[in-house]
Amino acid sequence: MRVLTLALLGAVLVPLSASAQISQGAALPLADATFAAADGATVRLGEAMGESGLVVVLWSNTCPWSTRYIDRLTALVADYTPAGVSFVFVNSNDPSNERESADASREYAAARGLAAPYLADRDAALADALGATNAPHVYFFGPDRRLLYDGAIDDSPADVARVQAAYLRLAMDQSIAGLPIEVQRTQAFGCTIKRTGS
């Protein structure tokens, strides 16, 4: 059964092209841009920054890889918000797709109890600025708004029981402790972001 599940998920597995990625140490892009949140609020990206940093999570309502990571990300939000790290989920998929629309995202966020803003990146401007081609993909910016880590949440997208390297958690721990980030970039896997017109 596990082999079949992995085979099915593999059908939507897409590696991120390294050529267009944002550089390590780069500033938070579109920090002054305002995004509509699924709950009806508006969020200025730079103002979402916590005192210990900001995690931007490229997300999808429909990707099976996102589904497998939702509980792990919910736990990270709960564990690191008190430490001053803020989180935003970002949907850069074409909103004309009814399963990725604003209404679908509102229902998705409510049904799963997302504890962080779920933002609509309607024209994929943020995804473009980050060089993101798939979701999920996480970007951790430190308190100085500089990119410290991006890539996979951990090393076992298919099975939480097999996680041996919790990349995002380690990067946040090291940053909060004032230590160098040992692993600054990993390969992110997920479903292709379906940009408007693609």
Side-chain angles (χ1 to χ4, degrees), residues 2 4 14 73 87 93 103 120 132 135 159 163 169 182:
R2 183 172 180 275
L4 177 60
V14 179
L73 275 165
F87 292 74
N93 288 294
D103 287 343
D159 186 356
V163 172
R169 185 179 289 274
E182 293 178 17

Side-chain angles (χ1 to χ4, degrees), residues 76-146:
L76 288 170
V77 172
D79 290 348
Y80 286 89
T81 298
V85 178
S86 296
F87 292 74
V88 292
F89 290 76
V90 178
N91 190 331
S92 299
N93 288 294
D94 182 353
S96 68
N97 176 343
E98 64 180 25
R99 297 178 68 198
E100 300 287 359
S101 67
D103 287 343
S105 293
R106 182 168 38 258
E107 292 172 10
Y108 180 97
R112 287 156 183 80
L114 289 186
Y118 191 17
L119 311 181
D121 182 24
R122 290 190 174 92
D123 57 2
L126 182 57
D128 289 346
L130 293 168
T133 60
N134 55 20
H137 189 142
V138 296
Y139 298 83
F140 172 45
F141 294 87
D144 62 355
R145 297 188 177 191
R146 299 287 172 177

